[in-house]
Amino acid sequence: MATHIYGVRVLDVDPKELRVRFKVFAVYYDTGSEMFPPVPDDPAFFFFLLWEAAQPHASMEQRGPLARMLDVDTMLDFVWVEENARRFVSRIERVAGANHPPTPEQWERLHDFYYERDGAWKDEDLLVQFDYDVWVTDERCIESLKPGDAWGSAMFPMNADTWTADDAPHIPDLTKPARRIAPFAGKKGDFRRKQIRDVEFSDDGAYLAATTWDGFVWVYDTSDWSEVAHTRAGDRNVAMLMWVPGEPVLTVKSYSRLDDPEPLEQWAFDVRSGQETTAPYQHGHLRSLDGVHRITPNGGAEGGYDLHATDTLPQRTIAHAAGWDPIQCKAFSADGTRLFLGAQQNLFVVDPVTARVIDQVPGASDRLFHLASSPDGTYLAAASASRKLDYAGSFGGKRPHELCVWRTADHRIILGRQMTTYVSALAWSPDGRQLVAALEPCDENFANGKSELAVFTMDPTSPTDPPFPEA
């Protein structure tokens, strides 16, 4: 007998509203450890329930529309399910709940396993349970359902994409890069212990620069992604890129450690002439597109940053946390109105003028590694610890990153792709049309001259977006 994780009952079906109401019970417990399944607030979970209700193991004539269209192999491809659930389930809303979490008295009465018998489960009033309204995109998704239907399911919550048609023009298509660039390919030299550590677009988006930790530099023309320069910015320890505001002039500073004081010298390169040059000193670790706002680590008790003084503002300290919570990654929106800071698991949004935190997402990820903002800060790309390693591939001891897109207004990850590599840098073009990710192998080729640049263009909308082929 299969061990189910959840029990499901149909409470109501409204074909006109394209809505079904489910009651979902947790029916698997570890009473010794007082553990139970997570709350299934995930469209992929309910997409799978709709498919189960369509009787996928019955004869073809007895199956509902979803089971006729989607076979078992397709639905057990969890990556596909995560990517495509949004084509079938448009929205879910948890409308009620009970016994979450169980009280000590309830734990005394709970059993480890519960099985469906004639549409019911023993001790239903005791079980962790939730009611959900689920809206679908086509009436055929709920054609097989009627009130009172009940079954046990071994499905588990995943991390489905939830972007909408309104989001699509503004977010990258992470299905496949539009272009892959191998900076080290065909180059002579010893590239052991070499990897791309930073990528930055010029202010007008005409060029992308990339550098290694020790100062090897590439510049690409973004109109055709041809390489226009490959040079070295002297002998650097930790090389940091920064473009001169409004100019196709690239600067590189060298730090012994990232939290060291600013060096006294910088290297500058004029992309137009292809020659080293002199340029105004570029202060800080990161600047806004207009060059007004710049940040540098402050060595303070929070592990945070200071905003440099401007023509009208004094130096400001960003007080992002009440204790030690060191910043790992940062990104300005291109319009300069927001500064995003990733402090290990926590995400902060700062007003660069006041240096105040105006929004935050505690526990945004198990670990945030790199950030890149869309031009107006509506969306945020993040390389982070993966939510999907348990079911999205056979990675062994490797822990490749997940590349996500956050919608900042509602703090939701609306798009996520499990990578097979680490992501060592991110850059979103000033015009919002391209996202570049530096990819680093997480096997024996790590830091061995095998870095790639993946160029993603916007709009993940697919010709297969209608859920049914004839729709």
Side-chain angles (χ1 to χ4, degrees):
M1 179 180 293
T3 299
H4 295 138
I5 303 174
Y6 298 96
V8 184
R9 179 178 295 134
V10 178
L11 301 180
D12 181 54
V13 182
D14 190 332
K16 290 184 178 179
E17 289 191 8
L18 299 178
R19 180 186 58 80
V20 57
R21 177 166 290 188
F22 289 112
K23 181 178 286 291
V24 179
F25 301 97
V27 297
Y28 177 84
Y29 298 84
D30 182 341
T31 54
S33 301
E34 296 192 352
M35 297 179 65
F36 55 94
V39 180
D41 293 346
D42 170 58
F45 174 80
F46 289 98
F47 174 35
F48 204 91
L49 296 187
L50 294 171
W51 177 77
E52 287 181 323
Q55 302 296 320
H57 300 292
S59 66
M60 190 61 71
E61 294 76 18
Q62 294 176 312
R63 296 179 189 180
L66 272 182
R68 288 197 296 270
M69 184 176 69
L70 302 169
D71 61 19
V72 173
D73 288 343
T74 298
M75 293 301 291
L76 292 182
D77 180 348
F78 296 139
V79 173
W80 186 92
V81 170
E82 282 193 322
E83 293 177 4
N84 288 276
R86 50 165 292 279
R87 295 169 48 210
F88 301 86
V89 176
S90 59
R91 181 162 67 99
I92 64 172
E93 182 179 338
R94 186 176 1 135
V95 296
N99 308 324
H100 182 262
T103 65
E105 294 77 13
Q106 288 171 326
W107 277 116
E108 290 292 327
R109 297 170 55 199
L110 280 165
H111 300 284
D112 284 351
F113 307 108
Y114 290 86
Y115 298 100
E116 181 263 334
R117 296 287 186 269
D118 298 322
W121 287 264
K122 182 182 178 181
D123 299 331
E124 281 192 12
D125 62 329
L126 191 62
L127 303 180
V128 174
Q129 56 194 271
F130 303 97
D131 293 355
Y132 288 91
D133 279 338
V134 178
W135 286 265
V136 298
T137 58
D138 191 289
E139 184 179 343
R140 285 166 288 188
C141 293
I142 56 176
E143 182 178 302
S144 305
L145 298 172
K146 63 182 184 300
D149 287 348
W151 66 97
S153 178
M155 189 50 179
F156 52 89
M158 294 191 288
N159 299 279
D161 295 345
T162 57
W163 56 269
T164 67
D166 291 337
D167 298 313
H170 313 291
I171 62 175
D173 181 358
L174 300 180
T175 307
K176 183 180 179 181
R179 184 180 292 267
R180 298 181 80 107
I181 302 167
F184 295 97
K187 301 295 189 294
K188 295 181 179 179
D190 181 2
F191 295 127
R192 289 175 296 177
R193 298 183 296 279
K194 299 290 189 294
Q195 68 179 98
I196 298 298
R197 73 156 299 269
D198 198 8
V199 290
E200 296 287 345
F201 281 96
S202 59
D203 291 358
D204 60 2
Y207 300 102
L208 179 88
T211 186
T212 62
W213 284 90
D214 54 351
F216 284 92
V217 175
W218 292 259
V219 180
Y220 298 93
D221 182 331
T222 60
S223 64
D224 59 6
W225 291 102
S226 59
E227 182 184 295
V228 296
H230 172 52
T231 184
R232 190 170 190 188
D235 186 13
R236 308 279 160 175
N237 291 324
V238 180
M240 187 166 295
L241 287 174
M242 191 175 290
W243 291 89
V244 174
E247 298 289 336
V249 176
L250 180 68
T251 69
V252 176
K253 295 178 295 187
S254 177
Y255 295 77
S256 296
R257 299 186 313 169
L258 285 175
D259 56 356
D260 279 354
E262 290 229 299
L264 300 177
E265 299 177 348
Q266 70 178 13
W267 173 89
F269 182 83
D270 189 321
V271 176
R272 290 168 299 190
S273 67
Q275 301 293 323
E276 294 185 21
T277 187
T278 58
Y281 187 81
Q282 298 303 302
H283 294 275
H285 281 205
L286 182 71
R287 68 169 176 85
S288 58
L289 187 65
D290 58 10
V292 171
H293 303 297
R294 298 168 183 264
I295 60 173
T296 296
N298 58 27
E302 295 180 351
Y305 278 74
D306 282 349
L307 281 148
H308 289 228
T310 71
D311 291 340
T312 58
L313 295 168
Q315 179 171 312
R316 291 94 72 211
T317 294
I318 302 169
H320 71 280
W324 178 248
D325 195 14
I327 300 300
Q328 307 293 317
C329 47
K330 62 270 183 196
F332 279 103
S333 59
D335 63 7
T337 61
R338 303 187 204 184
L339 169 62
F340 297 94
L341 301 175
Q344 302 192 91
Q345 296 92 357
N346 305 314
L347 179 64
F348 299 90
V349 187
V350 174
D351 179 345
V353 174
T354 65
R356 292 178 179 171
V357 173
I358 57 175
D359 199 2
Q360 58 184 295
V361 187
S365 168
D366 285 344
R367 179 69 181 272
L368 294 164
F369 296 103
H370 299 282
L371 302 174
S373 172
S374 67
D376 63 357
T378 300
Y379 303 96
L380 186 70
S384 56
S386 177
R387 305 166 296 164
K388 309 182 180 198
L389 291 179
D390 292 338
Y391 59 85
S394 300
F395 301 107
K398 304 168 190 172
R399 303 192 66 82
H401 295 164
E402 182 182 359
L403 183 53
C404 300
V405 177
W406 288 75
R407 188 169 54 213
T408 59
D410 57 3
H411 300 175
R412 292 183 67 89
I413 297 176
I414 59 172
L415 174 60
R417 289 295 175 270
Q418 176 60 57
M419 311 302 286
T420 58
T421 65
Y422 300 130
V423 178
S424 59
L426 288 172
W428 206 315
S429 63
D431 63 5
R433 297 172 61 184
Q434 295 172 314
L435 176 73
V436 174
L439 307 181
E440 188 63 28
C442 52
D443 55 18
E444 64 275 5
N445 287 313
F446 174 77
N448 201 25
K450 301 296 183 182
S451 305
E452 288 190 319
L453 302 179
V455 182
F456 299 99
T457 53
M458 298 299 114
D459 198 348
T461 305
S462 162
T464 62
D465 261 359
F468 292 88
E470 67 272 22

